Amino acid sequence: MPTLPQQRTQKYIAARQQHPAWLLLASRRAPLMLSGLEALFEHQPGGVAFDTAVQALADLLGAHANQPEYEIEPADLLAQARRELREWIRRGLVTEREGRVHETDALKTAMRFVAQLDQRMMTSTASRLAVVQREIDNLAAALDPNPHSRAEHLQRRIKDLQQQLEDVQAGRLPLLTEAQAVEGIREVYALATSLRADFRRVEDSWREADRALRQAILSAQHHRGAVMERLLGGHAALLNTQEGRVFESFQQQLDHQGELAEMRVRIRAIVAHPASGQALDDLQRSELRLLVQQLIAEAKVVQAVRARSEREVSQFMKTGQAVENQRVGQLLGDILQQALEVDWQRQAVRRQAAPLPPLGVALANLPLIERLRTKSQGGGGESELLLATQYADLAQMDAEFWQAFEGLDREALLRQTLQALQHSDQPLTLAALAEVLPPGEHDLETLALWLALAQESGATFEAGATEQITTRFQGQDWRFTVPRVLLSAQAVGAVDADW
């Protein structure tokens, strides 16, 4: 049995040969690739077009073509950049989906390692030590089956909270020092960025499960029950992982928008603190400010992948009955083909016992086995695909086509809303906005956009207060009941343009 150092050595050797982050850091052009990829994904976390990434890498290679240690071929920089990017996609450092290149957790790991080389930071900070001590206390109490010890633990917590409440009521507010505030903000930023990495791992796991499920469906070797069992079992296995539990917890919070709104307010308060300028740079503060929005976007991507798997299985369940019947017929045909190869002229063979009951069809012109074999549905020559362009008159399009084509212009509505708020001397409710900007035929979409804008701008919803908005479209009146909230021009103008 290998010793512990030998096992550790084998583990490191395997990681050196397989892990994308280690392969990148050990490669010849690691500084150029890290710098180029970090610059690409720094302002486009949602992915970069493949051709844009190739052009950026080619420009970077051209800037260092005179340095022999990088082995750059100045004759064809685009081809070398394309080969380099394809190689790292194959190794799993970045992924390519629908013509766009996306970063992975391995690339983030390499970037974090390089970023910490010039920073002498202690991992065992005072705040982390306090967190460890608190979690040890809570875990020990949760594992203790003695009711008396559990009651003493709860009494200590209640006494501590009561003392804190009395201090606050008496005006004694212990504030963090500047060093403690910087340390805490950095801890929060590190945890926040790790959440996006967890969501990205969930997305990659779901895409891998979706790929395996599609292969199972296309292989035509699994019946409908097995495919459904594989889908449900794969989803349950993904949710049982650590990052899967984090994602499921966030999905439950999406049902409680109040918690997310409070989280946005607290994040903005942290970013507005003077110590945040020392703890984080401008880009990091922007990432922390948009944390909830980015997590929601990541969750939508994961849900889209999951929905596609469920949709494919649903279509397979609906249309797979004929295919399954055909597969059963093919199986019976294989059995009967074996029966055709039996020597039926021998009387000893015909008198042997068989598990199948005797069958017969009144078709005297066909051999016995041929009467029982399943016939294929196919017939005739192969049909050719019609790839010719088909033209149609726009006058022949029905009203439903034009209604679906004419959607709400989101950017125009946002611009008009901001202008209306700026012309007003005071914040406006949704009902007052509806009087200034009548929703028209896109009433439901307009109200939904205004509510989302109020939530994103940090507007305060009055608890339990509602108001009614009446619109008229095609001679019919529609009444909507919406929460009462005030929208101000200053708050709406501060919302990110890419929202």
Side-chain angles (χ1 to χ4, degrees), residues 122-326:
M122 291 183 57
T123 57
S124 299
T125 57
S127 61
R128 187 173 299 182
L129 178 60
V131 171
V132 171
Q133 291 174 343
R134 184 172 60 251
E135 291 300 324
I136 289 176
D137 189 21
N138 295 335
L139 182 59
L143 296 177
D144 191 357
N146 189 351
H148 180 69
S149 301
R150 185 75 64 88
E152 290 181 352
H153 173 73
L154 295 177
Q155 288 295 338
R156 288 196 305 270
R157 293 182 59 184
I158 293 174
K159 184 179 179 180
D160 184 29
L161 293 175
Q162 184 65 33
Q163 182 62 40
Q164 295 181 22
L165 180 60
E166 292 176 358
D167 292 341
V168 171
Q169 292 174 348
R172 297 187 297 270
L173 300 178
L175 299 178
L176 296 178
T177 63
E178 184 177 358
Q180 291 174 338
V182 170
E183 179 183 321
I185 293 174
R186 287 176 178 174
E187 291 284 348
V188 170
Y189 175 76
L191 293 174
T193 53
S194 65
L195 281 179
R196 294 190 60 195
D198 291 338
F199 280 26
R200 196 173 294 110
R201 281 193 293 269
V202 173
E203 177 188 354
D204 294 338
S205 300
W206 239 303
R207 289 186 183 277
E208 180 64 23
D210 178 63
R211 184 186 62 81
L213 188 64
R214 287 170 175 268
Q215 290 180 351
I217 294 176
L218 293 177
S219 63
Q221 296 178 357
H222 295 78
H223 55 77
R224 292 179 296 164
V227 172
M228 177 60 69
E229 182 180 3
R230 187 165 184 173
L231 172 69
L232 299 178
H235 287 185
L238 289 176
L239 293 179
N240 285 331
T241 60
Q242 184 176 2
E243 59 270 15
R245 288 191 294 268
V246 173
F247 174 76
E248 187 67 17
S249 176
F250 182 76
Q251 285 294 109
Q252 295 175 2
Q253 287 189 2
L254 289 179
D255 298 333
H256 306 282
Q257 294 294 329
E259 296 181 3
L260 293 180
E262 294 178 358
M263 186 176 178
R264 285 193 181 96
V265 173
R266 292 166 183 167
I267 289 177
R268 286 170 180 158
I270 293 174
V271 174
H273 195 275
S276 65
Q278 300 181 12
L280 307 174
D281 56 24
D282 295 340
L283 181 60
Q284 291 173 336
R285 289 201 300 272
S286 177
E287 290 179 358
L288 186 59
R289 187 183 298 109
L290 301 177
L291 173 64
V292 177
Q293 178 182 347
Q294 292 173 350
L295 291 180
I296 293 177
E298 294 283 352
K300 289 181 179 179
V301 174
V302 176
Q303 287 293 348
V305 177
R306 180 176 180 177
R308 185 177 65 175
S309 298
E310 295 174 350
R311 184 169 58 252
E312 292 292 337
V313 172
S314 175
Q315 295 177 357
F316 176 75
M317 295 292 291
K318 293 178 181 179
T319 62
Q321 181 65 51
V323 178
E324 189 169 313
N325 292 339
Q326 182 68 14

Side-chain angles (χ1 to χ4, degrees), residues 237-489:
L238 289 176
L239 293 179
N240 285 331
T241 60
Q242 184 176 2
E243 59 270 15
R245 288 191 294 268
V246 173
F247 174 76
E248 187 67 17
S249 176
F250 182 76
Q251 285 294 109
Q252 295 175 2
Q253 287 189 2
L254 289 179
D255 298 333
H256 306 282
Q257 294 294 329
E259 296 181 3
L260 293 180
E262 294 178 358
M263 186 176 178
R264 285 193 181 96
V265 173
R266 292 166 183 167
I267 289 177
R268 286 170 180 158
I270 293 174
V271 174
H273 195 275
S276 65
Q278 300 181 12
L280 307 174
D281 56 24
D282 295 340
L283 181 60
Q284 291 173 336
R285 289 201 300 272
S286 177
E287 290 179 358
L288 186 59
R289 187 183 298 109
L290 301 177
L291 173 64
V292 177
Q293 178 182 347
Q294 292 173 350
L295 291 180
I296 293 177
E298 294 283 352
K300 289 181 179 179
V301 174
V302 176
Q303 287 293 348
V305 177
R306 180 176 180 177
R308 185 177 65 175
S309 298
E310 295 174 350
R311 184 169 58 252
E312 292 292 337
V313 172
S314 175
Q315 295 177 357
F316 176 75
M317 295 292 291
K318 293 178 181 179
T319 62
Q321 181 65 51
V323 178
E324 189 169 313
N325 292 339
Q326 182 68 14
R327 191 179 301 117
V328 173
Q330 292 175 357
L331 180 60
L332 292 177
D334 294 339
I335 296 175
L336 298 176
Q337 180 63 34
Q338 296 296 327
L340 274 176
E341 299 176 0
V342 177
D343 186 6
W344 298 103
Q345 301 297 328
R346 299 178 55 187
Q347 185 177 6
V349 174
R350 294 198 302 269
R351 291 183 177 180
Q352 287 182 357
L356 297 176
L359 299 175
V361 183
L363 295 175
N365 295 330
L366 292 177
L368 174 62
I369 304 302
E370 289 292 342
R371 305 174 198 172
L372 303 179
R373 295 189 63 182
T374 302
K375 304 303 183 293
S376 175
Q377 297 180 354
E382 296 183 357
S383 58
E384 297 182 358
L385 293 176
L386 181 59
L387 302 179
T389 304
Q390 298 292 329
Y391 297 93
D393 187 4
L394 293 179
Q396 299 177 357
M397 299 297 177
D398 53 11
E400 295 182 356
F401 170 80
W402 295 110
Q403 184 178 2
F405 184 74
E406 296 177 356
L408 174 66
D409 191 346
R410 176 189 176 96
E411 297 182 358
L413 179 60
L414 290 175
R415 185 170 56 255
Q416 295 172 2
T417 302
L418 182 59
Q419 293 175 357
L421 292 175
Q422 291 174 348
H423 292 164
S424 177
D425 297 335
Q426 58 185 358
L428 300 179
T429 63
L430 298 188
L433 265 179
E435 294 179 359
V436 179
L437 301 174
E441 59 178 330
H442 303 294
D443 45 11
L444 185 58
E445 296 176 271
T446 302
L447 295 178
L449 181 61
W450 283 345
L451 287 173
L453 182 62
Q455 187 177 32
E456 184 65 24
S457 62
T460 303
F461 288 79
E462 299 181 11
T466 59
E467 57 183 352
Q468 293 183 346
I469 299 176
T470 303
T471 62
R472 186 174 184 83
F473 179 65
Q474 294 182 353
Q476 186 174 1
D477 294 332
W478 298 87
R479 178 173 296 175
F480 299 89
T481 301
V482 296
R484 181 176 176 81
V485 60
L486 291 174
L487 286 175
S488 64

Side-chain angles (χ1 to χ4, degrees), residues 57-69:
L57 291 178
D59 295 341
L60 189 61
L61 293 177
H64 298 81
N66 295 329
Q67 302 181 16
E69 63 268 21

